[in-house]
Amino acid sequence: MLGATPLVTTKWMGEHISTLREERGYTREQLAERAGWSGKSLVGHLEAAVRQFNPDHVAALLPALGRAEHVARYQKLVTDAAGKGEWWRGLLPRDKAERRKLRELELFLSYESSATRIRLYEPYAVPDLLQTPAYAEHVLRVTRPPHAELRRALLPGRQALLCGAEPTELHVVLDETAVRRRVGGKPVLRAQLRHLAARAAQGNVTVRVLPPAAGLPSAEGNFSVLDMPAELDGHPGVAYVRTPRGWVCHERADEVADFGARWERIAAQALPAERSAELITGWAGEPQGDAR
């Protein structure tokens, strides 16, 4: 189901309320008083996304900020987000201390699950969302990232975002070396290439190859740019860089715009989707002795 998750919606609502409050020159305590609440703590918790917004919070805060006309729309927004839920929660540890260590991972999953469009550049390997189980298993064994078992368990749910009645739109630029790198041996690679070609045939997935002749791309490593639903008015989206320890999130509008411009420059140097699909299909069919 397309739409923002509860965490992403709460973060956006919190920033929106904070901006409106500051524009009117209210302190958190003053806004709480205007909303009919005692103390400023609830306003602070909502603005910091510590507490999840519900329809009652919207009904109290927006009129207090002179935005009563938006109450119904924003109430629907937070209600729809609560209905979407967070599919990964049952896979996370129940211990609170362990969960706190996974806060950045949860944020990444929330943004990825909220995205209407993902633009991704990968110079080293086929990205997670398009990996076969055997390919993914070899990547996990070699890279040994933190929480490898959890990442393994999360992968099917993440890849499911590309399927169904309302799939996420995915646009990938892959360096040719990333496509052809022998990960897991020849049979694993060939199966991965066939899978990649099949995924590229989906209407919501575009895969383009960046050939060596394109020269040095205008980026040093992998990154992705995630667009959020239009209902989150003015949301700039987010950009992520994957590191050996996890995903680094960039939320500032200027940073997201910079990553978006970088992706467009790289995509302009990549082969067309049709030619890329032909190459991937051809590499998948190479004899075992010629695969490299």
Side-chain angles (χ1 to χ4, degrees), residues 28 37 40-51:
R28 288 173 176 170
W37 299 340
K40 63 179 181 180
S41 61
L42 181 54
V43 174
H45 289 163
L46 290 170
E47 288 186 355
V50 175
R51 286 279 299 274

Side-chain angles (χ1 to χ4, degrees), residues 128 131 133-153 155:
D128 299 355
Q131 290 176 359
Y135 189 99
E137 188 63 33
H138 185 79
V139 170
L140 287 172
R141 279 204 313 271
V142 171
T143 60
R144 293 184 285 183
H147 314 291
E149 287 296 328
L150 177 58
R151 293 195 190 196
R152 183 180 291 109
L155 191 56

Side-chain angles (χ1 to χ4, degrees), residues 19-91:
T19 299
L20 290 174
R21 175 179 61 77
E22 291 172 358
E23 286 175 354
R24 282 153 183 75
Y26 299 152
T27 65
R28 288 173 176 170
E29 191 169 14
Q30 289 171 330
L31 177 56
E33 184 178 349
R34 292 178 64 87
W37 299 340
S38 60
K40 63 179 181 180
S41 61
L42 181 54
V43 174
H45 289 163
L46 290 170
E47 288 186 355
V50 175
R51 286 279 299 274
Q52 185 174 312
F53 272 86
N54 64 40
D56 291 339
H57 297 145
V58 174
L61 288 172
L62 286 182
L65 291 164
R67 289 289 188 269
E69 69 274 17
H70 296 311
V71 167
R73 183 161 66 93
Y74 288 169
Q75 283 183 322
K76 182 178 186 304
L77 190 65
V78 299
T79 299
D80 288 348
K84 178 170 182 174
E86 298 167 323
W87 60 265
W88 57 87
R89 280 199 167 270
L91 297 172

Side-chain angles (χ1 to χ4, degrees), residues 45 69 91 129 143 145 154 174 180 183-184 224 273-274 284:
H45 289 163
E69 69 274 17
L91 297 172
L129 293 176
T143 60
L154 290 167
L174 281 169
R180 308 205 70 187
V183 175
S224 55
E274 296 79 5

Side-chain angles (χ1 to χ4, degrees), residues 65-232:
L65 291 164
R67 289 289 188 269
E69 69 274 17
H70 296 311
V71 167
R73 183 161 66 93
Y74 288 169
Q75 283 183 322
K76 182 178 186 304
L77 190 65
V78 299
T79 299
D80 288 348
K84 178 170 182 174
E86 298 167 323
W87 60 265
W88 57 87
R89 280 199 167 270
L91 297 172
L92 299 181
R94 295 184 179 181
D95 180 76
K96 290 184 178 180
E98 288 298 313
R99 285 288 289 273
R100 281 195 291 272
K101 296 176 184 177
L102 297 170
R103 194 167 294 165
E104 291 302 316
L105 175 59
E106 282 203 71
L107 181 61
F108 169 72
L109 293 169
S110 288
Y111 274 128
E112 187 179 66
S113 294
S114 300
T116 55
R117 181 179 67 157
I118 299 174
R119 288 171 290 166
L120 192 154
Y121 169 62
E122 177 56 70
Y124 303 120
V126 174
D128 299 355
L129 293 176
L130 297 174
Q131 290 176 359
T132 64
Y135 189 99
E137 188 63 33
H138 185 79
V139 170
L140 287 172
R141 279 204 313 271
V142 171
T143 60
R144 293 184 285 183
H147 314 291
E149 287 296 328
L150 177 58
R151 293 195 190 196
R152 183 180 291 109
L154 290 167
L155 191 56
R158 293 178 58 209
Q159 293 181 341
L161 299 173
L162 302 180
C163 306
E166 296 180 295
T168 302
E169 191 177 317
L170 177 66
H171 299 277
V172 178
V173 175
L174 281 169
D175 195 285
E176 183 175 323
T177 58
V179 183
R180 308 205 70 187
R181 192 183 306 280
R182 191 175 297 171
V183 175
K186 299 173 189 175
V188 170
L189 176 59
R190 293 181 67 183
Q192 175 62 70
L193 292 174
R194 288 193 292 268
H195 178 75
L196 190 60
R199 278 285 186 255
Q202 290 181 209
N204 62 308
V205 177
T206 302
V207 178
R208 297 173 63 190
V209 173
L210 185 69
L216 187 66
S218 57
E220 294 182 358
N222 76 86
F223 66 90
S224 55
V225 184
L226 286 64
D227 297 340
M228 295 298 106
E231 292 80 7
L232 303 184

